[in-house]
Amino acid sequence: MMKNFKHKFEIQIRLKDVDIMKHVNHANYLTFVELARLKYYDDVLGTDTDWHLQHGQIMARTEIDYKDAIEYDDSVSVYTRCSKLGTKSFELNWIITKSRGNEPEVIAAEGKSTIVCYDYNSKKAIEIPAERRLKMQQFDNLE
């Protein structure tokens, strides 16, 4: 399943992420996804991407299916890919995996997020900038 995902980001579990039983709180899974999304943007779109008010983004929807608990000693990664490009929005799919030692990765959660390109000055959705569209299409082999 992860073979369709080119982008992988390793997560450092912090003490604040876990409860007294050393389980990662479920809300932190979405924080991991946000960190991976920003790294995906840096790696795919470039660090010089223009994120000013006229080319902003809004998270319109996020879905998550929890599959397995993450614990403090687990190695955690998030795989991210653009799965769909619309006119004004795009969809990112992601998989959070965990492993320990030499064990293979196990899916801890998976889901998708819909992101809308947005002009904060006019308070309206805008088309995905052509350069961003092209970079995501090329990286994730989209039509």
Side-chain angles (χ1 to χ4, degrees):
M1 180 174 224
M2 273 93 63
K3 67 180 180 184
N4 295 327
F5 290 76
K6 291 182 187 177
H7 193 270
K8 180 181 180 181
F9 180 64
E10 294 181 10
I11 300 292
Q12 172 68 48
I13 302 294
R14 301 162 297 175
L15 187 58
K16 76 164 215 66
D17 296 331
V18 298
D19 60 22
I20 197 164
M21 302 300 292
K22 295 187 179 181
H23 292 106
V24 171
N25 181 281
H26 69 282
N28 289 314
Y29 288 48
L30 292 175
T31 300
F32 301 161
V33 169
E34 285 296 302
L35 291 168
R37 180 169 64 98
L38 294 176
K39 184 64 173 154
Y40 174 91
Y41 290 163
D42 283 351
D43 293 345
V44 176
L45 303 177
T47 57
D48 59 341
T49 299
D50 184 7
W51 296 110
H52 70 285
L53 293 177
Q54 293 172 334
H55 294 103
Q57 295 181 357
I58 291 178
M59 179 70 63
R61 180 179 177 86
T62 297
E63 298 175 24
I64 185 169
D65 292 320
Y66 297 96
K67 305 287 186 182
D68 204 349
I70 298 173
E71 297 180 1
Y72 182 74
D73 294 329
D74 290 333
S75 295
V76 177
S77 296
V78 180
Y79 292 83
T80 307
R81 74 180 300 273
C82 181
S83 58
K84 181 179 176 184
L85 285 164
T87 303
K88 297 180 180 182
S89 66
F90 57 95
E91 190 171 274
L92 294 179
N93 288 46
W94 40 268
I95 297 173
I96 301 173
T97 64
K98 68 174 192 169
S99 64
R100 193 172 295 173
N102 292 327
E103 297 174 6
E105 290 180 307
V106 173
I107 295 176
E110 60 187 331
K112 61 185 174 181
S113 300
T114 302
I115 296 110
V116 176
C117 293
Y118 193 78
D119 180 332
Y120 282 90
N121 290 325
S122 68
K123 297 186 178 10
K124 293 183 181 177
I126 59 171
E127 289 190 10
I128 300 169
E131 184 179 349
R132 289 185 204 171
R133 173 183 292 281
L134 181 62
K135 287 180 178 180
M136 287 189 287
Q137 280 176 323
Q138 291 174 339
F139 185 79
D140 287 314
N141 300 319
L142 298 172
E143 300 282 325

